[in-house]
Amino acid sequence: MHEVIIKYKSQKTLKVLTALGEYLGFTISAPEVRNEAATYSINGVPVEIGDASIDIRELDTVFTGKNIDAASLRKSAWQRNG
């Protein structure tokens, strides 16, 4: 299948191309829109927002009843040995 990239400025052009595609039998696909607000940086390290569709219920058994909060987890996980 052949592929053509068309750049346009007006939304009217997209409507015309969509109508033409139905008549002439070609499809229009848009590139995946990446939300730039979803990526930010902390001290120069890029951080992306996680995927909300991931099921994390299995992790409940790991942390439930352990009396772990964020502060104690940071203290225990980031201790330097040496």
Side-chain angles (χ1 to χ4, degrees), residues 6-71:
I6 299 173
K7 296 182 180 182
Y8 57 90
K9 293 181 182 178
S10 171
Q11 289 295 325
K12 291 179 185 179
T13 306
L14 179 60
K15 289 180 183 179
V16 169
L17 288 171
T18 304
L20 262 167
E22 291 175 7
Y23 179 72
L24 296 176
F26 63 84
T27 59
I28 297 175
S29 62
E32 183 179 323
V33 177
R34 185 170 179 167
N35 187 358
E36 292 300 324
T39 305
Y40 59 96
S41 64
I42 298 175
N43 294 332
V45 177
V47 178
E48 293 185 12
I49 294 177
D51 185 1
S53 65
I54 296 174
D55 185 16
I56 59 170
R57 286 181 283 176
E58 293 179 7
L59 293 175
D60 286 344
T61 59
V62 174
F63 293 105
T64 302
K66 304 287 195 238
N67 197 19
I68 298 175
D69 62 349

Side-chain angles (χ1 to χ4, degrees), residues 76 78-82:
S76 66
W78 290 97
Q79 289 184 1
R80 295 184 183 178
N81 297 329

